[in-house]
Amino acid sequence: MSNFFKKYWKTLIFSAGAYLLWVIFCLIYVKFLFPDVMTHLKDDSWKPSDFAISYAASATDSLIFFAVVGLAITLISLRKPEEEKLATKIEFIFPGADPESTLGKFLANRISALACVSPVTKRVIAIQEISEANDAVKVLSKNDCIIKNIHNNHEYATDSMSFGITADEVNIDSDIIGEVNDIKILFDLEDPSKNRHILNGTQALTNSNREFKETFSLSLEPGQVVNYQTSAWLWQPLKESIRLSPPRFTESQQISLYNNTQHVIEFRVGIPNDEDLTFQVQPGRKHEFEVSCCSPGEKVIIHFEKWQLPD
């Protein structure tokens, strides 16, 4: 219901009721309704004037007209905006954009993308090994991202969802400097047959082939929730930071940082719109922290500040 009707519904009902009573009085006066009333008040020979009859007919026509129009407007206004199709919503928000035009389709895609959010993303970052001789560190990353389509009546569908990783050139004894182990979407935790594995097998990264990217489609019904999981590891220079950038609006990132090395490592974490965190993690221990709302492109940056073997 529109704000106008919400604000003035009592006045509108009172006005309509008053006009209805006036029309009923006019119809009684011209003996169209309850003719005995006027016969009793006047006499049997009393007749209404032509003007009164014409006015009563006109008032009745106006009542019927406004009743029909008012009912139609009320039915239209009672429809909730969230029940409209996406194209209609875009027309309301951007009245100058034709939904069928290139601009209209662009706006529809962008708005649809905004409706795919992550209520929570769990990240496990494990520092597996530090090679001071090669100035490199081996990092394992596992992500479990809850993805939800917050549209109430519109499917979310994209052909450009992607996972990518690019390794820096490092000087280690092995030609393999990283691996992508898993990319999957869990639609039903109790029925594995409904789940989708994007990556078949393991994709190795080498100094001659340091980049991996996989693009795939995703379709979610209104309100549908899925788990999007990835797993990869790589060697990277110690001077480089670990950058975590969510591709969609994320309400919460729960990060567990494991130190599986023999070194004591001091970290500094840059958090969007908040102060940096600084902490030390002993060998075989972990440190957990949470990052609140992040927009696409905002990065959580984990810096290696210091590392040393225990005394």
Side-chain angles (χ1 to χ4, degrees), residues 239-299:
K239 64 181 180 181
E240 295 295 333
S241 303
I242 302 170
R243 301 175 183 271
L244 310 175
S245 180
R248 62 192 56 82
F249 183 83
T250 302
E251 295 181 14
S252 172
Q253 294 185 76
Q254 299 175 4
I255 302 174
S256 298
L257 186 56
Y258 288 81
N259 179 7
N260 295 335
T261 74
Q262 300 300 314
H263 293 72
V264 178
I265 307 175
E266 185 174 314
F267 297 94
R268 178 171 58 85
V269 181
I271 299 176
N273 309 311
D274 205 344
E275 296 182 355
D276 290 1
L277 294 177
T278 301
F279 51 85
Q280 188 181 84
V281 184
Q282 297 291 325
R285 305 297 294 273
K286 69 176 180 178
H287 182 86
E288 297 178 331
F289 60 96
E290 185 171 346
V291 178
S292 58
C293 299
C294 279
S295 300
E298 291 186 328
K299 295 180 175 62

Side-chain angles (χ1 to χ4, degrees), residues 175-242:
D175 184 51
I176 297 178
I177 61 173
E179 287 181 340
V180 180
N181 303 118
D182 199 12
I183 306 172
K184 61 187 175 185
I185 301 175
L186 306 183
F187 290 89
D188 190 334
L189 297 178
E190 297 181 357
D191 187 355
S193 65
K194 295 182 180 180
N195 300 330
R196 182 181 173 195
H197 288 266
I198 308 300
L199 183 66
N200 294 318
T202 297
Q203 178 68 44
L205 301 176
T206 64
N207 276 318
S208 58
N209 183 21
R210 293 184 284 110
E211 185 175 357
F212 170 85
K213 184 174 183 180
E214 184 73 27
T215 301
F216 49 95
S217 61
L218 176 65
S219 179
L220 299 176
E221 295 297 323
Q224 186 176 8
V225 178
V226 298
N227 283 61
Y228 169 51
Q229 298 181 354
T230 63
S231 176
W233 67 265
L234 57 80
W235 282 95
Q236 69 174 57
L238 267 169
K239 64 181 180 181
E240 295 295 333
S241 303
I242 302 170

Side-chain angles (χ1 to χ4, degrees), residues 56-261:
S58 176
T60 303
D61 288 343
S62 297
L63 177 65
I64 294 173
F65 172 78
F66 286 112
V68 172
V69 173
L71 179 61
I73 294 175
T74 300
L75 291 176
I76 294 172
S77 66
L78 286 175
R79 183 166 183 173
K80 298 179 180 180
E82 59 267 25
E83 295 174 352
E84 299 289 348
K85 294 181 179 179
L86 181 60
T88 305
K89 295 175 184 177
I90 291 172
E91 281 188 290
F92 283 133
I93 301 173
F94 307 104
D98 180 359
E100 298 302 321
S101 67
T102 302
L103 174 59
K105 293 177 181 179
F106 169 79
L107 294 172
N109 288 334
R110 284 302 182 93
I111 291 175
S112 180
L114 291 174
C116 182
V117 303
S118 174
V120 61
T121 293
K122 296 180 180 179
R123 301 184 186 273
V124 172
I125 308 297
I127 312 304
Q128 301 286 72
E129 187 178 344
I130 289 179
S131 174
E132 294 187 271
N134 297 316
D135 196 29
V137 57
K138 183 180 180 181
V139 180
L140 170 68
S141 175
K142 293 184 178 181
N143 300 300
D144 184 352
C145 178
I146 305 298
I147 299 178
K148 182 178 181 179
N149 177 13
I150 61 175
H151 274 299
N152 71 310
N153 64 344
H154 182 71
E155 179 189 49
Y156 170 79
T158 179
D159 293 322
S160 58
M161 189 167 174
S162 65
F163 173 81
I165 185 170
T166 301
D168 294 305
E169 187 172 357
V170 290
N171 180 25
I172 60 171
D173 296 334
S174 173
D175 184 51
I176 297 178
I177 61 173
E179 287 181 340
V180 180
N181 303 118
D182 199 12
I183 306 172
K184 61 187 175 185
I185 301 175
L186 306 183
F187 290 89
D188 190 334
L189 297 178
E190 297 181 357
D191 187 355
S193 65
K194 295 182 180 180
N195 300 330
R196 182 181 173 195
H197 288 266
I198 308 300
L199 183 66
N200 294 318
T202 297
Q203 178 68 44
L205 301 176
T206 64
N207 276 318
S208 58
N209 183 21
R210 293 184 284 110
E211 185 175 357
F212 170 85
K213 184 174 183 180
E214 184 73 27
T215 301
F216 49 95
S217 61
L218 176 65
S219 179
L220 299 176
E221 295 297 323
Q224 186 176 8
V225 178
V226 298
N227 283 61
Y228 169 51
Q229 298 181 354
T230 63
S231 176
W233 67 265
L234 57 80
W235 282 95
Q236 69 174 57
L238 267 169
K239 64 181 180 181
E240 295 295 333
S241 303
I242 302 170
R243 301 175 183 271
L244 310 175
S245 180
R248 62 192 56 82
F249 183 83
T250 302
E251 295 181 14
S252 172
Q253 294 185 76
Q254 299 175 4
I255 302 174
S256 298
L257 186 56
Y258 288 81
N259 179 7
N260 295 335
T261 74

